[in-house]
Amino acid sequence: MPSYSLTVNGRPYTVFAAADTPLLWVLRDNLGLTGTKFGCGIAQCGACTVHLDGESTRFCVMPISAVGTKQVTTIEGLSPTATTASHRVQKAWVAEDVPQCGYCQSGQIMAAAALLANTPDPSDVQIDEAMTNICRCGTYQRIRAAVHRAAKEA
């Protein structure tokens, strides 16, 4: 089995996996980073969203062989230590009481953080266009409110 060198949440890792192994499973099974969730397995729902060089990326279908030297940031890396204050999106999620079941929330938060990194003060239309993750509980209005709140916290 080939080895791959990855940088995840600022830390280097060497992983032994088949070239077509989806990165979601590398994160969860090889590295023990279980904050990123499996939802649909076809990159439609967004539960598996992480950042690849700062871009919102769905990892359930991306093979490990496609990462190369790009930096991976998971929900665990958004606020990497207990002494680090929560990311402004995470704070906004709590303030707006966004989660219900919570299953999609790590992917939603990662998508929102990437949006705000590229569009510091998004309109409702820009939020709706960027936030394509599915929330089974239908908390889309609270998600939008949390994105606006996080934008103001910048």
Side-chain angles (χ1 to χ4, degrees):
M1 204 169 292
S3 68
Y4 295 91
S5 295
L6 303 173
T7 302
V8 180
N9 300 331
R11 294 185 54 203
Y13 292 93
T14 299
V15 175
F16 296 91
D20 63 348
T21 303
L23 280 161
L24 172 65
W25 301 117
V26 170
L27 293 175
R28 292 180 62 78
D29 296 344
N30 296 73
L31 303 182
L33 298 170
T34 58
T36 305
K37 305 298 183 198
F38 175 80
C40 66
I42 59 172
Q44 296 299 305
C45 75
C48 64
T49 302
V50 300
H51 295 170
L52 190 60
D53 275 351
E55 296 296 319
S56 181
T57 307
R58 294 180 180 181
F59 265 26
C60 69
V61 296
M62 178 176 274
I64 189 169
S65 59
V67 174
T69 60
K70 295 179 180 171
Q71 303 286 313
V72 176
T73 305
T74 68
I75 190 72
E76 291 92 346
L78 214 51
S79 298
T81 67
T83 59
T84 302
S86 293
H87 189 276
R88 64 185 167 132
V89 174
Q90 292 169 312
K91 290 177 185 177
W93 244 244
V94 171
E96 294 294 334
D97 198 25
V98 173
Q100 281 188 14
C101 81
Y103 196 81
C104 71
Q105 296 309 302
S106 65
Q108 298 277 7
I109 289 168
M110 295 304 288
L115 166 64
L116 291 172
N118 294 317
T119 309
D121 189 21
S123 67
D124 284 347
V125 170
Q126 289 171 312
I127 293 169
D128 293 346
E129 287 173 354
M131 299 296 296
T132 60
N133 298 34
I134 295 171
C135 175
R136 294 178 194 185
C137 301
T139 63
Y140 299 109
Q141 298 300 323
R142 286 186 274 174
I143 289 169
R144 188 185 297 138
V147 172
H148 283 301
R149 179 184 286 260
K152 291 176 186 167
E153 297 295 321

